[in-house]
Amino acid sequence: MYNRDYLTDQNNSHSNESSQRQAYIMSFLKATYQLFAGSMLAATAGAYIGLEIVSALVGMHWILFIAVMGLVFFVIPRVKHKQGINLVALFGVTFLTGLMIAPLLASILAMPGGAAIAGQAFLMTSIAFGGISMFAMTTKKDFSFMGGFLFASFWILFAAGIIFALGTTFGWFAYSSIFHLFLSSGIAILMCGFILYDTQQIIKGNYDSPVEAALSLYLDFFNLFVSLLQILGIMRSND
C-alpha cells in the first residue's frame, strides 16, 4: 500500500510539473507572437513613412544598417528583461528595418506590375512562415542539429552580402544580377531553415525572453521577404 501511494504521488507530481511547463510554454508562445505581430506593425509604419521620404533615405542606408545591428547585437541582449525599455528597443529595430526596406520597395513599385510583385513576395513569405512554423510545432523530429550549420552559413552569406553591397556602391566591381539572384536565393533558403530552428528553440524553452524570441522570428520573416522581393524584382527586370 505504501509503495502504491508513493508511486501515485510521484506520478501526480510529474503530471503537475508537465502541466505547469506546458502552460508556461503556451503563455510564452502567446507573448512571443503578440510581440511578433506588433513588430510587423512597427515595420509597416516604418516602410510607409520611408516611402514618403525615400529620397532622403537613399544616402542613409548604411547608417540605418549600423543602427539596426547595434540594437540587435548590443542593446536588446542587455535590456530584454527590462520592462518598457525592451519594447522600445524591439519596436525601434523593426521600425528601422521598415525604413531600410523603403528604397527597395520604391524601386519595385516603380516597375510595371510592381505592386503585384510586392504583394506576391509578402504572400509567399507569409505562407512559407506559417507552414514551416506549423511543421516545427507539430513534428516530433528535433532540428537542433541544424544550429551550427545555419549560423555558419549565415555569417558566410552575411559577409558576401556586405562585400557585394559595398562593391557595387563604391564601384569596386560591376553589379551582377546573376550573383545577386544567387545570393538572395541562398538567403531565402537559409531563412526557411532559421524559421524551423528558431520556432523549435522557442517551444523547447531555449529563449528566456519573449522579446528576444519575437525578434528572432521577425528577422527570419523580414529577411525572407526581402530576399523574395529581390528575387522577383530581378526576374522581372530581366524579362
Side-chain angles (χ1 to χ4, degrees):
M1 290 294 292
Y2 172 79
N3 289 337
R4 185 160 59 242
D5 290 342
Y6 173 78
L7 291 174
T8 300
D9 290 342
Q10 191 176 43
N11 289 334
N12 288 338
S13 177
H14 289 162
S15 178
N16 289 336
E17 289 178 2
S18 177
S19 298
Q20 289 174 359
R21 176 169 176 77
Q22 187 67 24
Y24 170 79
I25 292 174
M26 293 304 296
S27 176
F28 192 95
L29 280 173
K30 181 180 179 181
T32 295
Y33 281 96
Q34 285 175 340
L35 291 173
F36 172 75
S39 297
M40 294 293 292
L41 291 175
T44 301
Y48 179 80
I49 294 173
L51 288 172
E52 298 295 322
I53 57 170
V54 67
S55 58
L57 293 175
V58 173
M60 295 179 59
H61 182 79
W62 288 107
I63 296 174
L64 292 172
F65 176 77
I66 292 171
V68 168
M69 291 297 101
L71 286 169
V72 169
F73 289 109
F74 298 104
V75 176
I76 287 184
R78 289 168 172 78
V79 303
K80 60 185 178 180
H81 295 300
K82 297 181 180 180
Q83 293 295 328
I85 299 176
N86 54 6
L87 297 182
V88 172
L90 173 64
F91 297 140
V93 168
T94 56
F95 179 82
L96 289 177
T97 58
L99 290 178
M100 282 179 58
I101 201 178
L104 174 61
L105 279 173
S107 65
I108 295 294
L109 294 174
M111 293 180 175
I117 294 174
Q120 185 179 359
F122 185 81
L123 180 62
M124 291 171 64
T125 304
S126 300
I127 292 173
F129 184 88
I132 296 171
S133 297
M134 288 300 298
F135 174 75
M137 291 179 182
T138 55
T139 184
K140 295 181 180 179
K141 184 174 178 60
D142 185 359
F143 289 92
S144 297
F145 67 91
M146 295 172 55
F149 170 78
L150 289 173
F151 283 102
S153 300
F154 168 79
W155 287 114
I156 292 171
L157 290 176
F158 180 81
I162 293 295
I163 294 171
F164 178 74
L166 287 172
T168 54
T169 299
F170 296 104
W172 298 342
F173 45 78
Y175 170 80
S176 170
S177 60
I178 299 299
F179 181 78
H180 195 179
L181 184 63
F182 174 80
L183 182 63
S184 297
S185 300
I187 294 173
I189 295 171
L190 183 65
M191 288 305 112
C192 289
F194 265 114
I195 294 169
L196 177 61
Y197 175 80
D198 287 335
T199 302
Q200 281 205 336
Q201 293 304 299
I202 294 170
I203 294 171
K204 292 169 65 177
N206 290 337
Y207 283 92
D208 62 354
S209 167
V211 167
E212 197 171 38
L215 178 62
S216 294
L217 292 179
Y218 170 78
L219 291 176
D220 296 341
F221 186 100
F222 174 79
N223 285 311
L224 178 57
F225 173 64
V226 171
S227 299
L228 292 176
L229 195 61
Q230 290 175 331
I231 291 169
L232 295 176
I234 294 168
M235 293 174 65
R236 175 58 61 90
S237 64
N238 289 338
D239 287 347

